[in-house]
Amino acid sequence: MNRVGRASLALGALLAAVLVLLTPAGSGAAEDRERWHTKVLAMVDAPGRPANVVLHPNGRVYAGTFASPQTDGVPSVVREWTRAGRLLRSWEVPGQDLEVSHGVQVANVDSRGRLVILEKSTGSVLLLDLRTDRWSTYSRLPDPPACALGQTGEGCTPNLVDAAPIPNYATWGPGGALYVSDYGQAVLWRVPPGGGKARPWLVDKRLDGVEFGTAGLVLGPQRRSLYVMQQTSLGLGEATVALGKLYRVPLKGERTLTRLWQSRPMDLPDGFSFARSGRVYVANAGSNQLVVLDEDFKEVERVPALPLTGDNGSPVPFDTPSNMTFAGTSVLVANQGFFGNPAHHAILDVHVGERGVPVFIPEGAGVRR
């Protein structure tokens, strides 16, 4: 070998060594993890109970305290972590009614990078500016009464029991409107572009779950339909009252719910996300399991196999897992731990070996016009 060849080899070895030194710890580890390998990204201190995880375009992870009997009287908290799980900042949520059940879901991000946060006690859609720490109200859900026996039409909701609004999940539509699911009322709400008064977009008795109502809400990969997760049909909108359902409703034309999937009894399916493969990843808050549906919405995987145990091989079992948010080839899962075990309040990183459909944030979303 001539001198040029030996020099090239030496230079190549030197560059390889430099790359190894510059590569952050943990990079490439995803390729070495088996599917469903679970690790604790971050423990969540009191008041704990994270219920949805948002991966911001800035690469950081956000979650907030949702409601449970143990959080009454204590302000909810929104927290920010690095993707590696290091806590950076936290914010107390202002303006909550601490005398009633309260809590927040970090639901989305607007076009200016502000967090879209849904607050239970006031039925509010809030924005949190991460640069200024400023909170503002984007919208508030109305509280129409439950329809009287035989009553139909506008001005009431077809709920079996009258309930206040509970904004639960939110997704942007192609035109910049924000669609919000309501855990308490049988309504999907539409907030106009730029914010303001929320109006009923779809009212349907099948969205009444009494204490276990409408949960995840996702814009479909083709951006032509909304996908809606219903935890139960306890409001008697469907005969299979204890089973969860995944519905599709088109954004244009007749707003009709089409049932795509039905869960097992008391799975209580909650948040979900689409993979680029077309599969759907669902968190079952009741059975403490993660479920995968194929592109035809047939169940193809369920982890762990036994319900309730939550056994995932990590120090923290699944305990009221409330969402599935893609982050690279993992999904981030919020462990709400509804019944109050603080050792289970955590954000879990579950390797699945495929990537999700990017969350759609239209140009100008959240900006007042």
Side-chain angles (χ1 to χ4, degrees):
M1 182 179 294
N2 60 31
R3 291 181 180 180
V4 174
R6 287 195 295 270
S8 297
L9 284 175
L11 179 59
L14 177 61
L15 289 174
V18 170
L19 285 174
V20 169
L21 290 173
L22 292 179
T23 301
S27 295
E31 286 73 16
D32 299 330
R33 297 168 67 188
E34 294 183 357
R35 183 167 166 84
W36 301 115
H37 175 267
T38 301
K39 63 182 181 182
V40 178
L41 179 77
M43 298 302 300
V44 183
D45 292 335
R49 294 168 184 82
N52 188 49
V53 178
V54 164
L55 179 64
H56 196 285
N58 66 16
R60 295 176 182 174
V61 175
Y62 297 86
T65 306
F66 201 61
S68 80
Q70 298 83 14
T71 57
D72 289 349
V74 179
S76 300
V77 175
V78 172
R79 289 185 169 91
E80 174 190 71
W81 296 270
T82 66
R83 179 63 183 87
R86 180 168 61 89
L87 180 65
L88 297 176
R89 293 185 288 174
S90 62
W91 299 264
E92 276 197 2
V93 180
Q96 294 182 289
D97 185 349
L98 302 182
E99 301 301 316
V100 301
S101 182
H102 57 280
V104 294
Q105 292 253 70
V106 181
N108 216 310
V109 179
D110 79 354
S111 61
R112 291 185 175 174
R114 295 173 295 186
L115 298 182
V116 178
I117 296 173
L118 309 179
E119 203 287 312
K120 178 180 180 181
S121 69
T122 58
S124 298
V125 181
L126 307 174
L127 296 179
L128 172 58
D129 191 317
L130 299 174
R131 294 175 300 171
T132 65
D133 298 333
R134 180 176 177 269
W135 295 79
S136 58
T137 299
Y138 190 67
S139 185
R140 186 164 290 177
L141 304 190
D143 184 13
C147 298
L149 186 63
Q151 181 184 6
T152 59
E154 297 183 2
C156 66
T157 62
N159 286 68
L160 196 62
V161 179
D162 193 21
I166 305 174
N168 203 8
Y169 285 83
T171 188
W172 296 107
L178 185 71
Y179 296 86
V180 182
S181 66
D182 191 329
Y183 199 65
Q185 302 183 119
V187 181
L188 293 180
W189 299 93
R190 180 185 184 273
V191 180
K197 185 176 181 179
R199 297 185 180 277
W201 183 76
L202 177 66
V203 179
D204 194 299
K205 188 169 180 57
R206 286 171 288 180
L207 300 177
D208 181 15
V210 188
E211 290 295 324
F212 302 96
T214 309
L217 182 65
V218 175
L219 178 69
Q222 305 304 318
R223 302 177 187 171
R224 293 195 294 261
S225 299
L226 296 181
Y227 289 77
V228 186
M229 190 66 76
Q230 186 70 22
Q231 284 200 335
T232 71
S233 301
L234 295 178
L236 307 182
E238 293 217 35
T240 49
V241 295
L243 309 185
K245 286 92 179 171
L246 177 63
Y247 296 108
R248 179 177 57 218
V249 55
L251 284 168
K252 294 183 178 180
E254 187 177 359
R255 297 170 194 167
T256 302
L257 290 170
T258 299
R259 191 174 72 192
L260 305 173
W261 171 73
Q262 188 164 268
S263 79
R264 297 177 186 177
M266 299 313 296
D267 271 348
L268 302 184
D270 203 328
F272 64 98
S273 293
F274 281 91
R276 296 182 188 182
S277 64
R279 289 184 283 197
V280 186
Y281 285 71
V282 182
N284 282 347
S287 64
N288 293 334
Q289 293 171 305
L290 309 182
V291 166
V292 181
L293 313 179
D294 67 14
E295 56 271 26
D296 296 318
F297 305 100
K298 306 294 185 184
E299 184 177 319
V300 291
E301 287 184 89
R302 183 174 284 249
V303 177
L306 292 177
L308 302 179
T309 67
D311 183 18
N312 56 30
S314 86
V316 178
F318 297 129
D319 184 350
T320 327
S322 298
N323 76 289
M324 299 272 268
T325 298
F326 274 95
T329 55
S330 291
V331 287
L332 303 182
V333 177
N335 241 15
Q336 187 179 350
F338 181 84
F339 296 105
N341 186 344
H344 293 172
H345 297 167
I347 308 298
L348 303 177
D349 180 314
V350 184
H351 180 67
V352 294
E354 64 174 321
R355 296 180 181 274
V357 175
V359 175
F360 177 62
I361 304 174
E363 183 179 355
V367 180
R368 296 195 182 278
R369 302 180 179 180

